[in-house]
Amino acid sequence: MTDRIADIWGPRTPHAKGTVWPARVDQYLEDGVGEDQVEKWVPSACLLCSNGCGCDIAVKDGRMVGIRGRAGDVVNHGRLGPKGLYGSTAWSRSKDRLTRPMIRENGVLVECDWDTAMNRIVEVSKRLKPLEHAFYTSGQLFLEEYYTLAVIGKAGIGTPHMDGNTRLCTATAAAALKESFGADGQPGSYTDIEHCDAIFLYGHNMAETQTVLWSRILDRTRAGDPPVLVCVDPRRTKVAEEAERTGGVHLAPRVGTNLALMNGLTRELFKNGWVDEKWVAEHTLGVDDLRAIVESYTPEHVAEICGVDAAEVRRAAEIFGTSGNVLSTVLQGFYQSHQATASAVAVNNLHLLRGLIGRPGSGILQMNGQPTAQNNRECGADGDLPGFRNWDNEEHVKQLAELWKVDPLTIPHWAPPTHAMQIFSYVEEGSIGLLWISATNPAVSLPESARIRRILAGEQCFVIVQDLFLTETARLADVVLPAAGWGEKTGTFTNVNRTVHLSEKAVEPPGEARSDLEIFLGYAAAMDFRNSAGEPLIPWRTPEEAFDAWRAASRGRPADYTGLSYEKLRGAGIPWPVNDAAPDGTDRLYADFVFPTATGECETYGHDLLTGATVTEQEHRALRADGRAFLKGADYTPAHEPVSEEYPLLYTTGRTVYQFHTRTKTGRAESLRRAAPDMWVELSPSDAEHLGIVEGDFVRVESPRGALEAQARVGRVMPGAVFAPFHYGTPGLPGEAGRQANELTMTVWDPVSKQPYFKTAACRVRKVRDGSSPAPAPTTAASAPARPGGVPETAGGAPTVSRAVPLPSYPNDPALAGGR
């Protein structure tokens, strides 16, 4: 029995390079429920990070009572993390679940029936013009729901104002993949961990954000032939510690200087002859321009900008330049920081310069932050066109128009899709009159929180929220719709490395709650959307029918689902593309070194990474990419808000292992809540000493936009920086005080991906009063105190069963065929 609050990653199962990751089944059942009392196990995949772990839901008396990992699943080989184990089912029985629709009457939300709520929505929708509608969705819904929403928005209404909270976490991943390779889709695979010689983690605290994937890495680094790790992070995380333990490097650049560091690493590859010149000449474009851009970024110059040691820059570059196979992962430390897309593209450049792509052990994972962010991007609910089509390509628009039987002019493509930050600005000024928010909590998660609350509470826009609970955002809505959650509906979702899972309905939702698919279909029927033949625009009525409609939309595109079906997905996840050429799925992309960059095929014609200026179709055609990847670069520029005498510290936000996003689910799991119950802020020992602050003191952190008050953790963040977790919102759960990290962040975004910057604000800190206890920060991972002792260990959780099992089958990795 293992306490997975205290032992986050569970027992080790080390194994040699090139062998299959041993299976280990993790299981958790509620107190008082024995395994023999479980009436059925319903197949699904975990929704509490982007890893997409295959699992089964335990059901007893019509309730979800636990979860176990699925040993034969290619993603997790039976493992689950603390959030998945303890947070997957507890929320489903919370007494504050929404069970009936609500409408605002005389300034107060009151319960009503579905007809009343939908009639009010339809009445407003019908009197507004198409461009007065906006939809803001999530990375939490199912593929079938995203695709249905995309058809409603693009063909039913005809609005370009569609995006998701994926803009906050994964937009730069998509943008970087498009800029380098022509289309979205992760080139690498989790199986690259089994074959690589080095792993680079750029702004990616995997030990806390994807705990099962980190377990997979630990089982290689603790073997006799471990890969070397390189960590880029301003905090001393468990990833950083493991990098040093393996003989690698921890690079801690100043917040906002990632691109300068990446330019320095790229220069070292050129300078030391670690570039595969023949491969680059055959399979890429732009090498000479890139070489000229990075020429001035010597290790000494990089050290001056980033505050890192020049020798460590050289050492990190040497590891990349001389290792046989390298796996790179990237996440929010790059995506939510200054020059995000340029920095993420620089990771792609390193791999392209050495030809380290498309083969076992050499992969790129531009990670996602949410479990179904990939589906949002694939299906077009984030504003892009479904199937990774190019909104600027008339032929791609025509394909969708023929599929949906609508006039091509109905589908918005006269300008780029409206990104989330712009949508909220339009709402603020009154040009958007209806904003439909599904499964997300922007009142907590968007930057400059006070501004977002004012926008949502204003009279200028009719706000609809569909969710599980009366969140901080739902309290500001005009209509609130009760939604069914995970395990209460059926659908598919796709994880970071393109693996598609089917999640079957395990139990009925409470009260009158409906699935998001049912809600969207109900709206489409009430609006009577029709195609050009006079038929219902959306003919499907079930999740499986919606999936089949999506398969048709994906045909011939990079994310090709045509070879998949619900029946085929019952058992284990399968990575796309799945079609006649790859009936069992595709473990990694670009094995033939041919990229979807041809002008008629690509998802974008590209951008200038420094300014965001678009490349025209004519300019792109003149490049004659013809299946070659792009090497692109940009010069480093200082961040938007430098430190000053008034605001001398840099403010950055992030996650903790025990909570997910705004805690809609994990905040209702008692063991996770005990482990990370409330807000805290982290200071370095030198900054704390200078400010007269000790562990547990209450401090006020201020930026030009707002402030928060919380207890201080004297921790492992680099000097000059202040770290705050973004999970904690205004009072919503009993006994909690308001603590919002995003009161301080900026309404500024990357010029290419349009992802807002959460990690480059200036701030100041002052002590408010003495504390009588340590900060409520976990002690088990990156938020541990800098000086252990005197701070109690993080409280334990419920015990979890972990057991070794036989090796899983591995049909999609030819390199591991012998391990089937």
Side-chain angles (χ1 to χ4, degrees):
M1 301 286 279
T2 304
D3 174 359
R4 293 292 298 284
I5 296 294
D7 183 3
I8 296 168
W9 307 284
R12 296 276 55 76
T13 54
H15 64 107
K17 178 182 175 183
T19 62
V20 176
W21 187 29
R24 184 197 82 202
V25 173
D26 295 342
Q27 175 179 302
Y28 168 70
L29 295 173
E30 286 182 6
D31 288 345
V33 177
E35 196 166 353
D36 60 339
Q37 296 175 295
V38 175
E39 295 166 4
K40 60 179 178 178
W41 293 92
V42 180
S44 182
C46 180
L47 265 181
L48 287 174
C49 84
S50 64
N51 207 51
C53 297
C55 65
D56 299 312
I57 304 168
V59 177
K60 180 179 182 292
D61 299 330
R63 300 185 301 115
M64 295 189 287
V65 296
I67 190 171
R68 71 181 178 194
R70 195 179 306 133
D73 195 87
V74 297
V75 170
N76 57 317
H77 296 209
R79 292 161 183 77
L80 293 169
K83 289 192 290 288
L85 287 164
Y86 304 135
S88 288
T89 61
W91 56 271
S92 64
R93 295 178 306 283
S94 292
K95 294 180 180 178
D96 58 342
R97 278 291 300 272
L98 291 171
T99 59
R100 298 194 70 205
M102 304 177 78
I103 58 174
R104 190 169 296 280
E105 296 282 12
N106 299 317
V108 178
L109 286 170
V110 296
E111 289 188 347
C112 65
D113 58 39
W114 272 98
D115 286 343
T116 300
M118 191 59 72
N119 287 341
R120 183 164 294 193
I121 293 170
V122 170
E123 187 276 324
V124 173
S125 187
K126 284 188 171 181
R127 63 178 165 82
L128 294 175
K129 298 175 183 177
L131 294 183
E132 294 177 296
H133 291 73
F135 296 88
Y136 183 62
T137 188
S138 175
Q140 311 284 313
L141 302 185
F142 287 153
L143 176 154
E144 296 80 356
E145 294 161 342
Y146 291 129
Y147 184 57
T148 301
L149 178 60
V151 178
I152 287 173
K154 291 172 170 58
I157 294 172
T159 178
H161 307 319
M162 301 187 73
D163 206 353
N165 65 12
T166 49
R167 185 65 55 188
L168 314 182
C169 69
T170 189
T172 298
L177 294 168
K178 294 178 194 178
E179 293 297 328
S180 297
F181 309 121
D184 197 349
Q186 304 293 341
S189 167
Y190 292 166
T191 60
D192 289 326
I193 294 170
E194 275 78 76
H195 305 292
C196 66
D197 302 295
I199 304 174
F200 279 63
L201 299 100
Y202 301 93
H204 185 191
N205 182 10
M206 187 192 288
E208 298 193 57
T209 55
Q210 284 93 17
T211 54
V212 171
L213 199 59
W214 182 242
S215 296
R216 193 167 187 159
I217 288 179
L218 288 179
D219 284 347
R220 284 289 299 113
T221 62
R222 302 307 170 95
D225 52 354
V228 177
L229 268 57
V230 174
C231 170
V232 179
D233 199 307
R235 299 166 75 210
R236 184 172 168 75
T237 64
K238 291 294 183 182
V239 177
E241 292 178 12
E242 194 70 8
E244 293 171 351
R245 200 193 69 81
T246 61
V249 181
H250 172 212
L251 295 167
R254 291 191 183 100
V255 174
T257 65
N258 293 330
L259 184 57
L261 174 63
M262 295 306 300
N263 283 348
L265 295 177
T266 306
R267 179 189 180 275
E268 287 298 289
L269 261 62
F270 283 119
K271 177 179 179 296
N272 290 284
W274 295 326
V275 174
D276 187 334
E277 301 284 359
K278 183 175 184 296
W279 192 94
V280 167
E282 291 177 355
H283 301 293
T284 73
L285 292 170
V287 65
D288 291 336
D289 289 342
L290 179 62
R291 192 193 314 262
I293 287 170
V294 303
E295 178 58 34
S296 64
Y297 292 87
T298 64
E300 288 72 24
H301 185 40
V302 170
E304 181 181 353
I305 295 171
C306 301
V308 296
D309 186 271
E312 292 187 339
V313 175
R314 288 190 173 91
R315 170 63 179 147
E318 181 184 14
I319 293 170
F320 197 101
T322 61
S323 296
N325 286 295
V326 181
L327 170 65
S328 290
T329 75
V330 194
L331 198 57
Q332 310 301 17
F334 272 36
Y335 299 161
Q336 294 180 341
S337 193
H338 184 54
Q339 297 186 285
T341 302
S343 300
V345 164
V347 175
N348 300 340
N349 290 341
L350 293 178
H351 280 260
L352 290 171
L353 288 172
R354 290 207 57 217
L356 298 180
I357 193 168
R359 70 190 198 206
S362 285
I364 303 164
L365 293 172
Q366 298 278 356
M367 300 293 291
N368 299 336
Q370 293 191 80
T372 64
Q374 195 67 43
N375 296 126
N376 190 318
R377 286 152 39 190
E378 294 164 4
C379 295
D382 66 343
D384 289 339
L385 293 185
F388 295 159
R389 288 176 172 85
N390 186 346
W391 65 268
D392 206 16
N393 184 322
E394 293 288 346
E395 180 58 33
H396 287 189
V397 176
K398 182 182 176 183
Q399 291 170 8
L400 289 175
E402 291 176 352
L403 182 70
W404 297 336
K405 299 179 183 178
V406 297
D407 189 322
L409 294 177
T410 303
I411 302 171
H413 63 285
W414 54 86
T418 313
H419 60 91
M421 303 302 291
Q422 191 65 62
I423 286 174
F424 278 85
S425 292
Y426 288 158
V427 173
E428 185 175 33
E429 68 185 31
S431 61
I432 286 177
L434 182 151
L435 175 62
W436 193 318
I437 300 169
S438 51
T440 186
N441 191 11
V444 176
S445 59
L446 278 173
E448 204 172 344
S449 299
R451 172 177 174 259
I452 299 302
R453 289 195 298 271
R454 289 194 301 271
I455 292 171
L456 293 172
E459 298 290 331
Q460 80 287 358
C461 184
F462 185 80
V463 177
I464 304 154
V465 172
Q466 64 191 55
D467 214 318
L468 306 172
F469 299 94
L470 198 63
T471 63
E472 291 89 344
T473 300
R475 291 180 209 138
L476 302 173
D478 296 287
V479 174
V480 179
L481 304 176
W486 175 87
E488 299 170 348
K489 58 182 182 177
T490 294
T492 54
F493 56 93
T494 307
N495 73 348
V496 172
N497 73 332
R498 300 170 282 102
T499 301
V500 187
H501 283 101
L502 173 64
S503 180
E504 307 257 22
K505 184 177 180 178
V507 299
E508 293 296 326
E512 299 175 26
R514 296 179 179 178
S515 74
D516 297 274
L517 179 61
E518 290 176 293
I519 294 171
F520 293 145
L521 290 175
Y523 170 69
M527 291 292 288
D528 196 26
F529 293 129
R530 300 269 168 176
N531 62 27
S532 55
E535 304 159 335
L537 175 67
I538 300 177
W540 53 87
R541 290 293 174 266
T542 67
E544 190 165 8
E545 290 172 351
F547 184 79
D548 288 340
W550 162 249
R551 290 170 57 214
S554 73
R555 184 178 300 276
R557 297 302 299 159
D560 193 331
Y561 281 64
T562 52
L564 285 174
S565 65
Y566 271 25
E567 187 59 37
K568 192 167 185 175
L569 287 168
R570 290 189 169 100
I574 303 173
W576 64 250
V578 188
N579 49 29
D580 291 342
D584 295 321
T586 308
D587 195 41
R588 56 184 61 82
L589 301 181
Y590 312 134
D592 57 0
F593 305 143
V594 177
F595 306 91
T597 55
T599 303
E601 182 182 8
C602 64
E603 189 178 357
T604 179
Y605 299 134
H607 300 79
D608 180 278
L609 299 184
L610 190 61
T611 66
T614 56
V615 176
T616 67
E617 179 183 356
Q618 292 77 14
E619 290 169 335
H620 187 276
R621 195 175 298 279
L623 293 171
R624 300 195 60 169
D626 299 330
R628 288 176 289 178
F630 288 101
L631 290 163
K632 293 187 174 184
D635 272 310
Y636 161 76
T637 62
H640 292 76
E641 190 169 82
V643 295
S644 63
E645 186 175 342
E646 187 177 7
Y647 297 101
L649 299 169
L650 288 167
Y651 179 75
T652 185
T653 67
R655 304 170 186 242
T656 179
V657 64
Y658 301 113
Q659 299 292 354
F660 188 62
H661 284 210
T662 62
R663 300 182 307 139
T664 305
K665 291 179 179 176
T666 55
R668 290 171 169 84
E670 184 58 31
S671 58
L672 296 175
R673 193 175 172 198
R674 285 200 313 267
D678 204 353
M679 184 64 167
W680 74 90
V681 296
E682 292 176 30
L683 301 169
S684 71
S686 58
D687 290 328
E689 183 177 8
H690 174 71
L691 294 166
I693 294 167
V694 299
E695 171 71 34
D697 281 349
F698 285 85
V699 299
R700 181 175 177 86
V701 187
E702 298 174 326
S703 81
R705 289 154 298 280
L708 66 85
E709 292 188 9
Q711 284 182 275
R713 164 57 44 89
V714 181
R716 303 180 181 189
V717 68
M718 69 180 299
V722 177
F723 171 86
F726 76 90
H727 310 288
Y728 301 89
T730 55
L733 297 173
E736 290 187 340
R739 301 283 191 273
Q740 265 184 242
N742 283 321
E743 299 287 348
L744 285 74
T745 49
M746 294 186 289
T747 306
V748 177
W749 53 84
D750 182 76
V752 180
S753 69
K754 316 303 182 187
Q755 184 159 347
Y757 294 156
F758 291 96
K759 300 186 184 295
T760 54
C763 73
R764 61 190 177 206
V765 179
R766 64 178 173 86
K767 178 177 175 178
V768 175
R769 65 182 185 276
D770 292 343
S772 58
S773 64
T779 60
T780 50
S783 294
R787 299 187 180 98
V791 177
E793 291 294 317
T794 298
T800 303
V801 174
S802 297
R803 61 181 185 272
V805 298
L807 297 176
S809 61
Y810 226 110
N812 297 307
D813 185 2
L816 291 180
R820 293 183 186 179

